[in-house]
Amino acid sequence: MATEHLSPLDLAFWRIESTAHPMHLGALVVLRAAGPGAAERAAELLAARCAAVPGLRRRIHDVLLPVGAAAWAPDPEFDAARHVFLVRTGHATAHEAAGPLMARPLDRGLPPWEAHVIAGPDPEAFAVLFKFHHALADGLGALALAASLFDEGPAPRAPAARPVPAQRDAGSALRRLPGALAARVQDVGQALEIGAAVARSGLPLGVPGALVADPDGPGTRAVAGLALDLDEVNLVRKAAGGTVNDVLIAMVAGALRRWLEERGDPAPRGPGPRALIPVSRRGRAGAGGANRLSGYLLRLPLAERDPLLRLDRVRAAMDRNKDAGPARGAGAVALLADHVHPLGHRLGGPLVAQAARLLFDILVTSVPLPGLTFSLGGSTVREVYPLAPLARGQSLAVAVSTYKGTVHYGLVADAAAVPDLAALTGALRAELDALVREVS
């Protein structure tokens, strides 16, 4: 079987990780318990089912050639007990329990994922925190892996192996040379264009101190979540124009402004913090395999006082990004990974991790969920909070998904820099209320 190397972007995610800044995605899934012992049954089912999912049995290991590369290989000693855990929290909520769990890096010697079944104080509900390393999957890929563990989930599929190139004679190679050169020139041109866009995107101006964390801090994490009615979001979208995602991003901008005001921080000035908005370059059907991500970069208009004007500015910025496309602009920095030799990823990973603060100030990502009803051992999923990794030097990452008519915001923060994360969820609720009032 041919060796399946990590793609350049997957390798980048693998190399930039540090103990204080783990690179795993998360999803906190809250379920309605189907009777006593539901959490225990869920843990048993997850442990039994994960062994049948090939993508969850593979680990990452370094290879000799090419130098600096890494590859996937089956874990010959795969043990579900090292990946599925039952956590009893006492009086802590699922979100409170998720913070320390998100702070803990995955074991890099094992298949890079975990599932923590969280049994809290509410006998009518429990939660599951899924953790998938970003090298294993992007948001859509993580969704496919998690879905395969639920009741009546899709039949797990083995990841496609890298095709072995057919042997060609020298004449065939020469005939293909002009096209290969043209493609290489096009790739270099794209890299230069993205690099120029990054330079034009400007320095971190107008960034509130609350969005900055100690890059050498202990890496503690806090997690919070908020559920909102999708009908209210759609009411704003229909009245003000744009997309649901435009409204959700504008709500983050407005919530940050409200939160800063409540903290007594200086009034926002300048162009505002730069938000990185990841963009998937695959269709829903292509959820497996390597990460295929690009992104948009936009300034969150925190200095704008009017909620509808904030939304209008976000919508205009997103329209400009979409007109340019996800392969251009400063937000497409992920595409530069394709132009780096594997040894460059190995040697430069720590430098790239430190440079994240120079590229963007906050991550705001949306994870699409299917309109299906998921269950686990008969316990029905009622809430899904996506959780994003936190870059070095940044205090907050925001992820959002929509499930069964409800918008779920998942917030991950540096616990030392943001001790009042719950206040930010209240500011998100207040911002939606203000937008609804404006359009009603």
Side-chain angles (χ1 to χ4, degrees), residues 5-8 10-12 14-15 60-71 340-348:
H5 293 92
L6 271 68
S7 73
D10 293 350
L11 186 62
W14 187 245
R15 297 301 188 198
I60 296 173
H61 66 99
D62 291 337
V63 295
L64 292 176
L65 294 174
V67 177
V340 179
H341 187 276
L343 183 59
H345 285 297
R346 172 177 285 183
L347 298 178

Side-chain angles (χ1 to χ4, degrees), residues 172-230:
S172 174
L174 287 174
R175 287 191 296 272
R176 294 174 58 250
L177 187 57
L181 286 174
R184 182 59 179 166
V185 169
Q186 184 178 20
D187 288 346
V188 172
Q190 181 192 44
L192 291 174
E193 183 179 19
I194 294 172
V198 170
R200 291 193 302 269
S201 68
L203 296 173
L205 303 173
V207 182
L211 293 183
V212 180
D214 181 358
D216 299 316
T220 54
R221 294 289 180 268
V223 168
L226 177 68
L228 299 169
D229 191 340
L230 180 60

Side-chain angles (χ1 to χ4, degrees), residues 22 30 55-56 60 66 74 86 146 157 162 166 218 222 242 245 254 287 294 296 406 430:
V30 180
L56 298 179
I60 296 173
L86 180 62
R157 296 181 299 171
R162 290 171 59 114
N245 201 43
S294 183
Y296 297 141
T406 302

Side-chain angles (χ1 to χ4, degrees), residues 134 245 275-280 293-296 331 362-366 398:
H134 218 326
N245 201 43
L276 179 63
I277 316 293
V279 178
S280 175
L293 289 173
S294 183
Y296 297 141
I362 183 174
L363 180 72
V364 182
T365 184
S366 177
V398 180

